[in-house]
Amino acid sequence: MTYGYHQGRPEHYPLEPDLHGTRHWFVTSEATGEDRADALAALAGLAHLEVWCVDKYMAHAGAGATHALPSAVARWFDDESDLLWALEHAMCRAAIGLRIYALGTQPFIRSIRQLADRCAIAPEAVRVAHSGGALSRV
């Protein structure tokens, strides 16, 4: 498990690959460049890795923007709502063995967990790490 609770607030730890998975989706929004690079380095050796990222500049740069992970499939989105919409549809059709690695703000992580729950993806198949703003919606 990549999270725990301290004084009622969730704590997140660095993302680590789950080698039992057969497909791996790294999903990120509003993460710092350093945290994103660290997570990608940790996941780089996984087969069948897809990157789902909110980055309006990369969305318009095309497939050539994924030079850091040439074997990974990359999906770039202009905004978080577009990513979450596409991700929900893909999650609900996903096969057993999918592992999701989410990196971003608390609200983004919460949204990913809710999507996974709605699509009947086991909580242990979703690993999260916090990056970006520390504010949480109340």
Side-chain angles (χ1 to χ4, degrees):
M1 193 69 58
T2 60
Y3 69 99
Y5 286 89
H6 176 69
Q7 297 180 355
R9 296 189 54 100
E11 290 183 327
H12 303 283
Y13 309 104
L15 294 177
E16 295 179 1
D18 180 349
L19 302 179
H20 298 289
T22 56
R23 300 199 65 73
H24 306 272
W25 294 354
F26 173 60
V27 184
T28 182
S29 178
E30 296 188 48
T32 66
E34 181 180 343
D35 288 345
R36 191 184 319 178
D38 289 347
L40 286 170
L43 302 174
L46 292 171
H48 306 290
L49 176 65
E50 290 187 22
V51 176
W52 299 62
C53 182
V54 174
D55 188 326
K56 65 183 176 182
Y57 303 108
M58 294 300 256
H60 299 290
T66 61
H67 58 7
L69 294 171
S71 64
V73 173
R75 302 171 192 279
W76 303 99
F77 298 87
D78 283 330
D79 61 51
E80 201 170 284
S81 62
D82 288 345
L83 180 147
L84 293 172
W85 183 87
L87 187 63
E88 181 172 15
H89 290 279
M91 275 185 183
C92 289
R93 293 188 315 268
I96 292 175
L98 174 65
R99 299 298 185 263
I100 298 168
Y101 308 89
L103 176 68
T105 61
Q106 292 287 32
F108 178 72
I109 289 169
R110 191 175 309 112
S111 294
I112 298 301
R113 288 197 175 280
Q114 290 169 347
L115 286 179
D117 187 50
R118 278 199 304 264
C119 295
I121 295 174
E124 56 273 7
V126 180
R127 297 180 177 208
V128 300
H130 177 263
S131 178
L135 296 176
S136 229
R137 283 185 242 159
V138 181

